[in-house]
Amino acid sequence: MTRVTLKDVSKYYGSIVAVDHVSFTVEKGELFTLLGPSGCGKTTTLRIIAGFETPDTGRVYFDDDDVTFLKPYKRNTAMVFQNYALWPHMTVFDNVAYGLRVRKRELKLSENEIKKRVMWALELVKLKGLEHRYPLQLSGGQQQRVALARALVVQPRILLLDEPLSNLDAKLRIEMREELKRLQKSLGITTIYVTHDQVEAMSLSDRVAIMNKGKIIQVGTPRDLYFNPKNLFVADFLGRSSIYRGEVLVQEGNGAIVKLEDTDITVRGVTPEKTLPNKVAVVIRPEVMKIGSSEDSKDTVVKGTLEFAMFVGDKVEGRVKIGNLKLLVYLPNTQEVRIGDEVTLTIPWRNTIILPLELE
């Protein structure tokens, strides 16, 4: 297992700043995800770790070894790409064996040893028995497993995954998330994963780094990022929320009371800021709200009219109009609701997030 450290890494393409003074450490055996919108610099960061790009500033370390200018083939990493990059004229076996055969002399491997390692990798990804098929004879999920087996068969120090599930349908994506997590934990291999899919990142990762405009905005566990976002970008990017402008009436410790803009509604919430500006954003997650009144006097209880409802299986997604506000809520899937119903909602103060309006 290998620790990966980036120190003050930047990458420029002319006047474009792709990666902006990025620093983080991926611990040994950790599954670490770079998450952010398209064009935020996450794939460029991954390519710098792989050695396909050279940083303009900063250093990359594998444990205590400085690998900043080391050639990719000398880093002993393996990368799974978004498009799988399989050779269509080669069988599954030959695709997986390709990396070993290229390094056969260097690794001092016999054909028999190569066969054993390939069959080990195919069994690991549950493709044993399909070694004589060609990529076009496989499903998308099976092709993804071949690409993964090809990466694992060389027994890399670090596994790098660039949007590996984006070409799969929704159901298969969920299955492969579970499979990837199982494989990573069973092998204990340090893994760096790139995705723009929040659910994928939250369900797979030990820790996540949120990126935007080439910078690392916040690093933490999925739970910490979701419930304790550092700023409005992180809060808005992770999950769905109702976000309102407001004016701070009182700040006390890690909490505050805010009057929502253009309403008579005041809400209490928590904040990571020691001192809030006068104008703030109030973030309310739809799943934290409760139907009915609350026994906690600090919670906010509001009444409104259900103006939209959509049954999505595990819940009913609704929108409740409260004066000038429209509040996104999740209602129980067993509850019969109709447009125009009056709804009483509790907004728990402990799960209401108050943040400065300014974005990083």
Side-chain angles (χ1 to χ4, degrees), residues 58 86 99 102 136 242 282 295 297:
L86 301 178
V102 167
L136 293 178
S242 298
V282 178
E295 296 179 0
S297 61

Side-chain angles (χ1 to χ4, degrees), residues 285-308:
R285 305 277 193 199
E287 72 274 9
V288 305
M289 284 179 286
K290 302 169 184 175
I291 306 297
S293 299
S294 171
E295 296 179 0
D296 190 332
S297 61
K298 292 183 179 181
D299 291 342
T300 302
V301 179
V302 292
K303 288 186 178 181
T305 303
L306 187 67
E307 66 169 21
F308 173 80

Side-chain angles (χ1 to χ4, degrees), residues 221-259:
T221 64
R223 179 177 291 274
D224 187 46
L225 292 174
Y226 190 79
F227 289 111
N228 302 293
K230 175 183 175 182
N231 64 16
L232 190 52
F233 175 82
V234 176
D236 191 30
F237 190 74
L238 291 179
R240 300 181 67 189
S241 303
S242 298
I243 300 176
Y244 306 108
R245 293 173 177 264
E247 180 181 345
V248 175
L249 302 178
V250 179
Q251 182 170 1
E252 40 194 23
N254 68 338
I257 299 173
V258 176
K259 180 181 179 295

Side-chain angles (χ1 to χ4, degrees), residues 118-360:
V118 170
M119 296 311 294
W120 166 82
L122 290 175
E123 188 166 3
L124 198 65
V125 299
K126 300 179 181 178
L127 285 179
K128 190 175 180 181
L130 301 183
E131 56 267 23
H132 300 302
R133 292 193 187 182
Y134 290 87
L136 293 178
Q137 296 174 314
L138 303 176
S139 67
Q142 289 170 329
Q143 290 181 38
Q144 199 271 349
R145 288 169 188 264
V146 175
L148 189 57
R150 184 180 57 188
L152 293 173
V153 77
V154 297
Q155 299 177 356
R157 295 174 72 184
I158 301 151
L159 180 62
L160 306 172
L161 302 166
D162 187 10
E163 303 268 12
L165 307 183
S166 59
N167 292 332
L168 304 180
D169 62 54
K171 185 177 180 182
L172 193 52
R173 220 165 31 238
I174 293 171
E175 291 176 7
M176 285 308 304
R177 283 205 303 258
E178 294 176 3
E179 190 65 17
L180 271 174
K181 193 162 187 173
R182 179 190 68 80
L183 280 171
Q184 193 270 335
K185 292 306 173 191
S186 66
L187 295 171
I189 186 171
T190 304
T191 302
I192 303 175
Y193 193 99
V194 159
T195 184
H196 65 275
D197 187 313
Q198 300 97 319
V199 174
E200 203 169 281
M202 302 282 272
S203 59
L204 273 172
S205 313
D206 296 310
R207 285 190 304 145
V208 178
I210 306 288
M211 291 190 73
N212 190 37
K213 298 179 180 177
K215 294 183 178 182
I216 297 287
I217 306 300
Q218 187 175 355
V219 178
T221 64
R223 179 177 291 274
D224 187 46
L225 292 174
Y226 190 79
F227 289 111
N228 302 293
K230 175 183 175 182
N231 64 16
L232 190 52
F233 175 82
V234 176
D236 191 30
F237 190 74
L238 291 179
R240 300 181 67 189
S241 303
S242 298
I243 300 176
Y244 306 108
R245 293 173 177 264
E247 180 181 345
V248 175
L249 302 178
V250 179
Q251 182 170 1
E252 40 194 23
N254 68 338
I257 299 173
V258 176
K259 180 181 179 295
L260 299 186
E261 193 172 76
D262 299 326
T263 75
D264 295 325
I265 299 171
T266 59
V267 297
R268 187 185 297 265
V270 295
T271 177
E273 298 292 323
K274 291 182 179 178
T275 304
L276 284 166
N278 185 251
K279 299 294 184 181
V280 293
V282 178
V283 181
I284 304 172
R285 305 277 193 199
E287 72 274 9
V288 305
M289 284 179 286
K290 302 169 184 175
I291 306 297
S293 299
S294 171
E295 296 179 0
D296 190 332
S297 61
K298 292 183 179 181
D299 291 342
T300 302
V301 179
V302 292
K303 288 186 178 181
T305 303
L306 187 67
E307 66 169 21
F308 173 80
M310 181 168 59
F311 180 81
V312 293
D314 60 334
K315 59 183 173 289
V316 175
E317 293 186 6
R319 199 168 292 279
V320 176
K321 191 172 190 302
I322 306 162
N324 295 324
L325 301 183
K326 293 184 178 181
L327 194 62
L328 176 66
V329 298
Y330 291 162
L331 304 170
N333 60 357
T334 55
Q335 183 173 345
E336 290 287 343
V337 292
R338 293 175 297 177
I339 305 303
D341 284 354
E342 185 178 85
V343 181
T344 300
L345 295 171
T346 290
I347 305 172
W349 72 274
R350 295 179 188 277
N351 301 116
T352 300
I353 305 165
I354 300 171
L355 297 164
L357 271 173
E358 294 79 17
L359 292 174
E360 285 194 6

Side-chain angles (χ1 to χ4, degrees), residues 6-214:
L6 273 66
K7 291 186 178 180
D8 200 35
V9 168
S10 297
K11 181 67 182 178
Y12 309 103
Y13 297 105
S15 61
I16 297 171
V17 184
V19 179
D20 192 358
H21 299 284
V22 162
S23 298
F24 60 79
T25 296
V26 182
E27 298 299 338
K28 295 180 179 182
E30 185 175 35
L31 199 162
F32 186 92
T33 295
L34 298 171
L35 172 66
S38 297
C40 73
K42 54 190 185 292
T43 293
T44 303
T45 302
L46 194 74
R47 289 175 62 83
I48 288 171
I49 295 168
F52 300 143
E53 302 281 356
T54 302
D56 293 304
T57 69
R59 287 289 183 269
V60 180
Y61 296 91
F62 291 177
D63 290 331
D64 296 324
D65 301 326
D66 187 340
V67 299
T68 309
F69 301 108
L70 202 64
K71 298 292 184 185
Y73 64 87
K74 291 187 176 180
R75 298 191 184 201
N76 194 17
T77 64
M79 194 161 179
V80 177
F81 299 92
Q82 183 176 353
N83 63 358
Y84 313 143
L86 301 178
W87 298 103
H89 64 288
M90 290 185 182
T91 63
V92 167
F93 184 96
D94 290 334
N95 265 283
V96 175
Y98 183 79
L100 292 177
R101 285 177 172 154
V102 167
R103 300 170 61 189
K104 181 178 178 179
R105 184 173 296 178
E106 176 193 343
L107 297 174
K108 298 178 181 177
L109 293 173
S110 66
E111 272 299 316
N112 191 49
E113 288 168 328
I114 289 174
K115 182 177 180 180
K116 284 181 181 178
R117 281 174 67 164
V118 170
M119 296 311 294
W120 166 82
L122 290 175
E123 188 166 3
L124 198 65
V125 299
K126 300 179 181 178
L127 285 179
K128 190 175 180 181
L130 301 183
E131 56 267 23
H132 300 302
R133 292 193 187 182
Y134 290 87
L136 293 178
Q137 296 174 314
L138 303 176
S139 67
Q142 289 170 329
Q143 290 181 38
Q144 199 271 349
R145 288 169 188 264
V146 175
L148 189 57
R150 184 180 57 188
L152 293 173
V153 77
V154 297
Q155 299 177 356
R157 295 174 72 184
I158 301 151
L159 180 62
L160 306 172
L161 302 166
D162 187 10
E163 303 268 12
L165 307 183
S166 59
N167 292 332
L168 304 180
D169 62 54
K171 185 177 180 182
L172 193 52
R173 220 165 31 238
I174 293 171
E175 291 176 7
M176 285 308 304
R177 283 205 303 258
E178 294 176 3
E179 190 65 17
L180 271 174
K181 193 162 187 173
R182 179 190 68 80
L183 280 171
Q184 193 270 335
K185 292 306 173 191
S186 66
L187 295 171
I189 186 171
T190 304
T191 302
I192 303 175
Y193 193 99
V194 159
T195 184
H196 65 275
D197 187 313
Q198 300 97 319
V199 174
E200 203 169 281
M202 302 282 272
S203 59
L204 273 172
S205 313
D206 296 310
R207 285 190 304 145
V208 178
I210 306 288
M211 291 190 73
N212 190 37
K213 298 179 180 177

